[in-house]
Amino acid sequence: MAVGPAPALADAPKTSLRPIARIGDIPVPRAEPAPAPAPAPTPAETVVVTEPEAQSNAQQQPDAIRPGARKVGQGLFKSLRPQRRTERSKKQARTVIRQRQKGAVCGDVALQGDVIGRVPGRIKGCGIENAIKLRSVSGIALSQPALMDCTTAKSFKTWVDRGLKPAIGSRGGGVAGLGIAAHYACRTRNNKPGAKLSEHSTGRAIDISSILLRDGTQITLLKHWNSKAYGKPLRQMHGAACGPFGTVLGPNADRYHLDHFHFDTARYRSGSYCR
């Protein structure tokens, strides 16, 4: 019997020629019972888990730790509640607080120093009515106690917190101290004969010549203002003083300020004068 040519691909059947499975051959999945809801945990200060149960949980979830607990030893859990301080540690903390409160000036424990009161001037226009002698600001020690009024001390603190510390950051472990070049002094501006009285003569000015870091590094305005390492942070802290202080002068101001910042709390109608 002659065999005709094979059908072309275009004549292939549109449906599969595999035989249809019978109903009895199709496996019917059995419905699994829904898991019972887990009982709500009861609040407790310490979560206690028996060793067999802890090992079972560890096998199911080796990296899982219950919220609010930490793993200790072989699968045991204890509360994360901090341990109670001893009476000795409490006493030490109270002593530190009392010492800071005792040394606080201007109603702020971040300003540590002594209340001086009225400082008379040797010439008319000099002097401070309610002077304080500042030793440290926000934990930053001053190279010498600085006489000033509380308005200037509070502006100084604002600059230390928002300008000095962020500009230095973690360099050298952070700021440890400030080199004070001048504070209260009954004199004229830039010590010029016949000039107007300086803001230093009324306790409203502070001059800073250097920054001491915790690793012992000393940054000076004279040496580092244009340096690659510290030029940028020095300019950053200089700019941050504009606002807290009314007058801000630095090495770019004139030849009298090549080696220090001059900050004072004089106020002008046009706002802060910063150079």
Side-chain angles (χ1 to χ4, degrees):
M1 183 177 181
V3 179
L9 293 176
D11 297 332
K14 295 182 180 180
T15 59
S16 175
L17 294 178
R18 180 179 294 180
I20 300 174
R22 291 177 296 175
I23 296 177
D25 297 334
I26 301 175
V28 179
R30 293 184 297 175
E32 295 291 339
T42 57
E45 292 186 356
T46 305
V47 180
V48 180
V49 182
T50 60
E51 186 173 352
E53 183 181 351
Q55 293 177 352
S56 175
N57 291 340
Q59 293 176 357
Q60 296 175 5
Q61 298 180 343
D63 297 329
I65 297 178
R66 293 185 181 182
R70 61 185 175 87
K71 191 172 182 179
V72 179
Q74 298 297 322
L76 298 180
F77 293 88
K78 289 187 178 180
S79 172
L80 282 178
R81 183 188 297 272
Q83 295 181 354
R84 293 184 177 181
R85 295 187 299 172
T86 63
E87 288 300 321
R88 181 180 179 182
S89 64
K90 290 180 181 179
K91 184 177 180 180
Q92 291 175 342
R94 288 194 294 266
T95 301
V96 171
I97 292 173
R98 282 196 300 268
Q99 289 175 345
R100 294 192 66 193
Q101 290 174 340
K102 185 178 179 180
V105 292
C106 304
D108 192 336
V109 294
L111 299 172
Q112 293 288 301
D114 301 292
V115 176
I116 302 300
R118 184 175 182 272
V119 175
R122 59 182 178 82
I123 63 174
K124 185 179 180 180
C126 290
I128 311 172
E129 282 301 319
N130 297 296
I132 56 102
K133 185 179 287 185
L134 199 61
R135 294 191 305 269
S136 69
V137 183
S138 294
I140 306 302
L142 307 185
S143 63
Q144 60 173 309
L147 275 172
M148 64 186 72
D149 62 13
C150 280
T151 298
T152 305
K154 291 177 180 178
S155 295
F156 196 10
K157 176 198 168 186
T158 299
W159 174 75
V160 167
D161 292 340
R162 301 180 186 178
L164 173 66
K165 288 182 177 180
I168 293 299
S170 60
R171 291 179 178 87
V175 183
L178 286 171
I180 303 301
H183 48 103
Y184 171 74
C186 183
R187 63 174 175 81
T188 58
R189 294 178 182 178
N190 301 318
N191 289 303
K192 287 184 176 181
K196 292 182 178 180
L197 287 176
S198 167
E199 295 297 328
H200 285 283
S201 63
T202 56
R204 295 188 292 185
I206 187 76
D207 288 357
I208 299 167
S209 59
S210 62
I211 296 97
L212 178 66
L213 305 186
R214 296 190 181 278
D215 67 354
T217 301
Q218 187 175 37
I219 306 169
T220 66
L221 272 292
L222 185 62
K223 182 179 179 180
H224 296 103
W225 178 253
N226 292 314
S227 72
K228 291 183 179 179
Y230 300 109
K232 184 176 179 180
L234 286 174
R235 282 167 169 77
Q236 183 179 339
M237 66 182 72
H238 173 274
C242 298
F245 291 101
T247 308
V248 177
L249 303 175
N252 288 345
D254 52 44
R255 64 187 179 90
Y256 298 103
H257 298 88
L258 292 175
D259 62 351
H260 69 275
F261 289 140
H262 168 88
F263 300 152
D264 69 49
T265 51
R267 295 299 170 186
Y268 311 98
R269 294 181 180 178
S270 58
S272 296
Y273 177 81
C274 303
R275 290 188 64 183

